[in-house]
C-alpha cells in the first residue's frame, strides 16, 4: 500500500453489501496459492493468521479478536486469529488453521482457504505474518480461549475499511503507518497492513 496523507484520503462510497461472488472475484487476482515471504524471512520469526470474511445481514464482515492482556507480546492489540509458527506445523497454513482452532474453536480445513495475501511485518517485534483468507457464507459457531482472546470484534468489512487514516502516533516506527477503527478500538501495525491490502482491493479507486 502506498503512503497516504489525511488530505488525500477519500474512499469511494460503494454500498457495504458487496455480494460474495463479487468479493471473491475482487480478491482472486491478489490471492497466492504459494505464500509470499519477505526477503529477510530467514532472520525473522514466521507467523500466520486467518482472515475470516463471512456474511450476515447481507454484508461481509471480518472476524477480529482483541488479544488478552495476559499474553507476553502484543497484549491488548486487535488482530486476526493466528500466531507463531510451531515446530509441529508442516506449513504456515497449518499454523494459521491450528492457531485459529485454539483461539476461537473453529476447525477450518485447507479447502476453506482461498489463498494468501502478501506477508506483513510487525512494527514492534521481528515477526512476519502470512495472512491466509477464507470467505464463508456464514460464520461457524465459535468458542474463544479466554487465555488468548479478551474480546471478539466481528466488524463490518467495508465500513471498517473506510475508517483508514494515517497513524501519526506510530510515525516514529514507520512513516507509512496507517490505522483503522471499530467501536472505539484502534487497529494498527501488522493487522492494519493486512486490512490495507483489502482496502486497496475493495475500496481504493483504480
Amino acid at each position: 500500500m502506498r503512503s497516504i496523507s489525511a488530505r488525500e484520503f477519500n474512499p469511494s462510497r460503494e454500498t457495504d453489501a458487496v455480494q460474495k461472488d463479487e468479493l471473491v472475484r475482487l480478491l482472486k487476482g491478489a490471492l497466492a496459492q504459494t505464500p509470499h515471504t519477505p526477503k529477510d524471512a530467514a532472520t525473522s520469526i514466521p507467523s500466520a493468521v486467518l482472515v475470516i470474511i463471512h456474511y450476515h445481514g447481507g454484508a461481509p464482515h471480518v472476524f477480529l479478536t482483541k488479544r488478552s492482556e495476559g499474553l507476553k507480546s502484543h497484549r491488548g492489540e486487535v488482530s486476526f486469529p493466528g500466531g507463531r509458527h510451531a515446530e509441529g506445523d508442516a506449513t504456515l497454513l497449518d499454523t494459521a488453521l491450528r492457531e485459529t482452532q485454539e483461539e476461537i474453536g473453529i476447525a477450518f480445513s485447507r479447502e476453506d482457504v482461498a489463498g494468501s495475501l502478501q506477508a506483513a511485518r510487525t512494527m514492534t517485534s521481528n515477526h512476519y505474518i502470512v495472512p491466509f483468507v477464507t470467505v464463508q457464507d456464514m460464520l461457524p459457531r465459535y468458542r474463544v480461549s479466554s487465555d488468548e482472546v479478551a474480546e471478539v470484534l466481528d466488524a463490518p468489512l467495508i465500513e471498517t475499511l473506510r475508517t483508514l487514516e494515517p497513524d501519526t502516533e506510530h510515525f516514529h516506527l514507520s512513516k507509512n503507518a496507517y490505522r483503522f477503527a471499530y467501536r472505539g478500538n484502534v487497529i494498527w501495525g501488522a493487522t492494519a497492513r493486512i486490512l490495507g491490502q483489502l482496502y486497496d482491493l475493495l475500496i481504493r479507486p483504480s
Side-chain angles (χ1 to χ4, degrees), residues 100-141:
T100 296
Q101 185 170 7
E102 289 177 2
E103 290 181 15
I104 63 173
I106 301 177
F108 288 102
S109 69
R110 286 175 166 269
E111 290 70 30
D112 291 322
V113 177
S116 62
L117 294 166
Q118 295 281 344
R121 295 303 305 259
T122 59
M123 296 174 69
T124 59
S125 61
N126 187 31
H127 288 74
Y128 72 87
I129 301 172
V130 174
F132 294 91
V133 178
T134 183
V135 182
Q136 301 286 316
D137 289 317
M138 61 182 295
L139 182 70
R141 182 175 298 179

Side-chain angles (χ1 to χ4, degrees), residues 37 40 42 59 69 71-72 86 96-97 103 109 114-115 120 122 140-141 149 152 157 165 169 191 203 205-206:
T37 54
D40 62 348
E69 292 290 346
L71 295 173
K72 292 181 179 179
L97 296 176
E103 290 181 15
S109 69
T122 59
R141 182 175 298 179
V149 177
V152 165
L157 177 61
E165 64 179 10
E169 181 181 349
T191 304
I203 301 293
S206 58

Side-chain angles (χ1 to χ4, degrees), residues 13-66:
R13 304 299 296 178
E14 294 94 344
T15 175
D16 288 359
V18 180
Q19 297 301 307
K20 180 184 176 184
D21 289 348
E22 175 66 5
L23 186 142
V24 170
R25 184 188 69 79
L26 291 169
L27 293 176
K28 187 176 180 180
L31 295 178
Q33 298 309 305
T34 302
H36 297 287
T37 54
K39 293 180 180 179
D40 62 348
T43 59
S44 304
I45 301 169
S47 300
V49 298
L50 189 61
V51 180
I52 305 169
I53 299 173
H54 68 98
Y55 278 75
H56 65 75
H61 286 63
V62 61
F63 192 92
L64 299 163
T65 64
K66 192 167 185 178

Side-chain angles (χ1 to χ4, degrees), residues 184-199:
N185 295 281
V186 175
I187 306 166
W188 65 286
T191 304
R193 293 175 187 272
I194 295 168
L195 286 176
Q197 295 183 59
L198 296 178
Y199 175 89

